[in-house]
Amino acid sequence: MKKFFQFEQLGTNFRTEFTAGLTTFLAMAYILFVNPDILSAAGMDQGAVFTATAIAAAIGTLLMGLLAKYPIALAPGMGLNAFFAFSVVIGMDIPWETALAGVLASGLIFIVLTLTGLRELVINAIPAELKKAVGAGIGLFIAFVGLQNAGIVVNDDSTLLAIGDVTSPAVLLAIFGLVISVILLAMRIKAGIFYGMVITAIVGLIFGLAEFNGIVGSVPSLAPTFGEAFTHFGDIFTIQMLVVILTFLFVDFFDTAGTLVAVSSQAGLMKDNKLPRAGKALFADSAATVVGAAVGTSTTTSYIESSSGVAVGGRSGFTSVVTAGFFLLALFFSPLLSIVTSAVTAPALIIVGVLMATALKDIDWNDFTIAVPAFLTVIMMPLTYSIATGIAIGFIFYPITMLVTGKAKQIHPVMYFLFVIFVLYFIFL
């Protein structure tokens, strides 16, 4: 095992790698409860999604550890799950089974792009600022969903939105959870989001705001979601679903690339500014999306929380193997879903939104040609309650601002293709 994972070359050992794997798991364990909560809004069975989440995370992380040998963990992505539930299923009125088929299609396309080497073409086609704008916009959208789920922001007929009843017990619990999570993260506690959820859930139990059904139980059945992506694959061949699939693919693709570079750089694994075994890492990510869609969850992607494991010494793929093991073990803790209410998960959504919004600093706001499409991408996601719409509007305005300022040669042909696709999206929407 030491030889396979190159412990000596990387200056690590079994104990350090195990600790790193556990640390990464704790930092991202919140997804086990947040993902079922979000996807259940789309009508999916919460227990089945819990099991699918753990399985997709375990298999994806194991593939990353054994094939690419990186200390990077995977799980259903935040933002992509919100897009799946609120934009695709609820917003576009697309059945969740068809949406799962779209996730499956995006994963298969991702595999083809990886195996053929076309991923570099796609990466280079889209301006860095627009990639950052998409990430930041998704962050605002996630935070908005969290504020809604918490009851902190509510509907208002006069102003569209207003502050909720902050004296309501459920709202007070969510606010308490947000404060605790902020304090823990401000104190640089790596698994602050997870610990914040645990503390909030316990307080909810004490005040009778949640029901306790035990800690350990049988693994929830996958039957309600398993295989639905394959059964409904024939329903994806529409303009509307093409935009959905492109969004799944686009966000997963760049989220994964960004995470791989960031975590690998932190671990000192980059060589000559290049990522060794990048193809295998991207294949592990895309294969995990296919597996996740098959069992019943939204797009699976690499998690930036992996940096917490690297921070305590994780350097090899064995860190990922350990994290995968803990996700499998977590399958037996499904009864905890009954105490992890929306008030408990909402703070996690808001905090993740804050972390994703930091990408705004990397956008050149002094360049009007990029500032306009970037701003519209960011602002339209929460305002239209649709990640796809935000991306579409930003990608339509980018060629326009570039063309009228004489920068046509700087526009990649792929961007013209996306311009046409998104225009058709609005026409047929």
Side-chain angles (χ1 to χ4, degrees), residues 41-109:
M44 298 180 69
D45 182 84
Q46 194 173 40
V49 174
F50 172 84
T51 302
T53 300
I55 290 176
I59 293 178
T61 305
L62 190 62
L63 287 174
M64 183 66 77
L66 296 178
L67 293 180
K69 299 181 183 178
Y70 282 125
I72 296 175
L74 295 85
M78 291 294 295
L80 284 164
N81 52 9
F83 170 64
F84 181 102
F86 300 107
S87 294
V88 180
V89 178
I90 296 176
M92 299 180 186
D93 200 27
I94 294 173
W96 63 261
E97 295 91 343
T98 304
L100 271 184
V103 173
L104 174 63
S106 72
L108 293 173
I109 295 172

Side-chain angles (χ1 to χ4, degrees), residues 325-380:
F326 278 110
F327 270 114
L328 289 177
L329 185 63
L331 282 168
F332 299 98
F333 292 88
S334 63
L336 293 176
L337 283 170
S338 63
I339 66 173
V340 184
T341 62
S342 293
V344 175
T345 59
L349 296 177
I350 298 169
I351 294 296
V352 170
V354 172
L355 298 176
M356 294 181 71
T358 58
L360 288 170
K361 72 180 187 299
D362 298 320
I363 298 173
D364 184 5
W365 296 105
N366 293 317
D367 184 352
F368 194 72
T369 57
I370 196 67
V372 170
F375 177 79
L376 291 175
T377 298
V378 172
I379 197 67
M380 294 306 288

Side-chain angles (χ1 to χ4, degrees), residues 309-323:
V310 170
V312 298
R315 293 294 181 272
S316 78
F318 188 67
T319 293
S320 296
V321 172
V322 172
T323 304

Side-chain angles (χ1 to χ4, degrees), residues 29 38 42 50 64 116 156 191 203 238 250 340 345 391:
I38 290 177
F50 172 84
M64 183 66 77
T116 59
D156 185 90
V203 171
T238 65
F250 172 79
V340 184
T345 59
I391 292 175

